[in-house]
């Protein structure tokens, strides 16, 4: 990405900056893809986008070192395969940019113990892993605030589970600005254009989730065609036989939503297409349509993950730019809090 400030083509105005961290917790699901990921490509024309693999956050729960390294690279390759273009956006690896952790220490001292104790994610995760309530888990929101504030991000796309973290980032930024003078931009949440919500194939009243223990409930964007069709065939539906969108037909409604989204048709058009046909035929058609839609992503991913040298070149180049940009703000913060200026290079 060029060093100059990016401008939008139509208005010539400075582009707003979007920033998001992605935990390397595994392959995106079809739900992640339809709900969010596939919007990221088009977003790059309107916004300056920064994405990073949140590996510092990932070690707040137990994870094997080899697994973390593998998953981080896989997540990186997935972002590129899903349409992030490094001519327009930066994609880097959090642990390679030391400024995040440096800023988070300073921000710790503008954050209250009580505030962090009230975070619902901390409470949930502590309850889930009672044997590993580490200080990093407690401090997670402050590191996340540092991730956001160190790049002067305007917008942060966050799901419902992260809104409390964005709110505390805003609180910390305001508090710091009040005490030390204007330093940080106050970030806003970014509500993406509504992508359809995709439900579990096995319990269609529940959201499709990466962490579902039943593999048949979830389609992963890297699943091959046979796997996708098999999962669709096994999708839970009602005891009826008509492919229509109606109350009480959660399974069929979900499949219709998926089918319409990946084929670019309306629900009405899809219903019409399957008039007089049974669930069996419909399910196979849904599976085929999903597999066709995801094929380019799967192929691009396979190419990227086999080319470690290329991936390294990408995260090194993007990381260098991320470090350059974030170092400026870190210096300003260090000056404001009263650290003696360092001449160490
Ligand atoms: N906590 C986020 C999640 O689990 C990941 C994350 C880390 C993040 N740092 C961030 C998201 C900064 C947005 C901005 O989804």
């Amino acid at each position: 990405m060029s060093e100059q400030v990016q401008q939008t083509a139509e208005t010539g105005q400075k582009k707003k900056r979007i920033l998001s961290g992605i935990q390397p917790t595994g392959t995106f699901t079809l739900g992640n893809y339809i709900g969010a990921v596939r919007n990221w490509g088009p977003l790059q024309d309107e916004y300056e986008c920064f994405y990073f693999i949140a590996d510092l956050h990932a070690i707040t729960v137990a994870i094997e070192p080899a697994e973390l390294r593998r998953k981080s690279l896989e997540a990186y390759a997935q972002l590129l395969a899903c349409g992030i273009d490094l001519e327009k956006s930066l994609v880097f690896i959090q642990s390679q940019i030391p400024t995040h952790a440096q800023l988070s220490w300073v921000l710790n001292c503008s954050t209250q113990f009580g505030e962090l104790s009230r975070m619902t994610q901390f409470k949930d995760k502590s309850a889930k892993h009672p044997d590993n309530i580490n200080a990093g888990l407690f401090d997670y929101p402050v590191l996340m605030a540092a991730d956001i504030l160190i790049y002067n991000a305007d917008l942060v796309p966050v799901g419902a589970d992260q809104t409390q973290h964005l709110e505390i980032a805003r609180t910390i930024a305001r508090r710091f600005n009040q005490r030390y003078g204007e330093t940080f931009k106050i970030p806003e949440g970014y509500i993406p254009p509504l992508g359809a919500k995709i439900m579990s194939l096995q319990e269609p009243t529940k959201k499709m989730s990466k962490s579902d223990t039943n593999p048949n409930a979830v389609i992963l964007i890297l699943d091959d065609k046979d796997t996708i069709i098999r999962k669709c065939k096994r999708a839970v539906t009602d005891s009826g036989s008509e492919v229509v969108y109606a109350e009480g037909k959660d399974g069929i409604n979900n499949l219709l939503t998926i089918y319409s989204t990946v084929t670019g048709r309306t629900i009405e058009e899809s219903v019409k297409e399957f008039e007089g046909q049974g669930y069996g035929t419909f399910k196979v058609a849904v599976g085929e349509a999903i597999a066709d839609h995801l094929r380019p992503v799967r192929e691009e991913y396979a190419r990227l993950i086999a080319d470690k040298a290329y991936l390294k070149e990408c995260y090194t180049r993007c990381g260098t730019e991320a470090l350059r940009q974030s170092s400026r703000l870190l210096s300003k913060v260090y000056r404001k809090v009263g650290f003696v200026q360092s001449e160490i290079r």
Side-chain angles (χ1 to χ4, degrees):
M1 192 170 68
S2 67
E3 289 201 1
Q4 299 102 322
V5 170
Q6 287 195 32
Q7 303 192 328
T8 55
E10 306 91 76
T11 60
Q13 273 178 358
K14 187 172 177 291
K15 280 183 174 178
K16 287 201 168 178
R17 183 174 290 178
I18 286 193
L19 173 135
S20 189
I22 291 96
Q23 288 222 44
T25 46
T27 310
F28 291 130
T29 69
L30 182 67
N32 299 137
Y33 186 77
I34 289 178
V37 179
R38 76 193 173 114
N39 292 323
W40 293 350
L43 216 60
Q44 303 172 102
D45 296 321
E46 207 175 327
Y47 298 98
E48 191 184 13
C49 299
F50 286 24
Y51 298 110
F52 62 89
I53 306 304
D55 55 350
L56 295 177
H57 282 101
I59 62 166
T60 57
V61 296
I63 181 164
E64 285 302 321
E67 188 189 349
L68 176 60
R69 195 170 295 120
R70 177 176 58 77
K71 285 187 164 170
S72 296
L73 285 178
E74 287 174 359
Y76 193 93
Q78 273 183 69
L79 290 179
L80 300 194
C82 288
I84 308 278
D85 174 355
L86 297 185
E87 292 297 314
K88 299 176 186 160
S89 304
L90 288 184
V91 187
F92 50 93
I93 299 177
Q94 187 187 27
S95 62
Q96 297 187 344
I97 321 297
T99 46
H100 293 228
Q102 289 172 303
L103 179 62
S104 88
W105 178 258
V106 175
L107 298 182
N108 273 329
C109 304
S110 287
T111 310
Q112 296 300 304
F113 184 88
E115 287 175 301
L116 293 178
S117 315
R118 286 191 292 275
M119 291 284 122
T120 51
Q121 191 173 84
F122 172 68
K123 289 193 265 185
D124 291 349
K125 288 194 180 172
S126 310
K128 230 169 116 187
H129 310 280
D131 53 335
N132 185 20
I133 307 178
N134 61 76
L137 192 63
F138 187 68
D139 203 33
Y140 182 116
V142 182
L143 177 60
M144 182 162 158
D147 296 336
I148 299 167
L149 300 178
I150 200 136
Y151 297 105
N152 271 325
D154 296 287
L155 298 168
V156 183
V158 282
D161 63 327
Q162 297 295 319
T163 51
Q164 204 183 22
H165 287 160
L166 178 60
E167 208 37 63
I168 199 172
R170 289 161 52 88
T171 305
I172 295 169
R174 276 197 223 95
R175 189 177 292 146
F176 188 97
N177 287 350
Q178 227 157 38
R179 171 144 186 224
Y180 297 104
E182 276 309 304
T183 309
F184 297 121
K185 187 173 263 176
I186 310 297
E188 308 275 341
Y190 172 77
I191 316 281
L194 199 59
K197 188 168 165 188
I198 304 305
M199 314 306 272
S200 153
L201 298 184
Q202 292 296 313
E203 285 173 82
T205 52
K206 244 180 51 184
K207 211 175 121 185
M208 184 180 281
S209 158
K210 260 186 207 176
S211 52
D212 203 310
T213 48
N214 182 347
N216 284 323
V218 184
I219 289 176
L220 302 176
I221 60 165
L222 303 177
D223 279 346
D224 60 35
K225 187 167 188 165
D226 290 345
T227 307
I228 295 175
I229 293 176
R230 193 184 66 238
K231 288 177 178 177
C232 286
K233 278 187 184 163
R234 293 186 186 164
V236 168
T237 45
D238 55 273
S239 57
S241 59
E242 243 184 306
V243 180
V244 288
Y245 196 97
E247 208 175 314
K249 295 175 74 80
D250 300 310
I252 292 293
N253 295 350
N254 189 35
L255 293 176
L256 274 169
T257 303
I258 294 173
Y259 185 78
S260 306
T261 312
V262 297
T263 57
R265 289 171 210 169
T266 63
I267 298 272
E268 292 76 48
E269 286 164 352
S270 306
V271 168
K272 211 159 184 172
E273 193 181 332
F274 293 99
E275 216 173 73
Q277 300 188 47
Y279 286 179
T281 321
F282 174 55
K283 285 177 173 178
V284 174
V286 175
E288 277 172 352
I290 297 170
D292 287 347
H293 186 78
L294 292 178
R295 188 184 316 114
V297 174
R298 202 167 58 238
E299 288 174 356
E300 179 65 359
Y301 175 80
R303 196 181 69 72
L304 289 166
I305 203 67
D307 192 348
K308 298 288 190 301
Y310 174 71
L311 291 177
K312 184 169 170 181
E313 185 193 313
C314 293
Y315 58 71
T316 305
R317 181 162 48 84
C318 289
T320 303
E321 177 61 13
L323 178 61
R324 194 185 68 81
Q325 295 212 19
S326 57
S327 295
R328 268 188 269 150
L329 189 57
L330 186 72
S331 299
K332 186 169 166 189
V333 168
Y334 272 26
R335 197 161 11 91
K336 294 216 173 193
V337 301
F339 294 159
V340 175
Q341 185 166 347
S342 167
E343 296 301 333
I344 302 168
R345 294 283 171 262

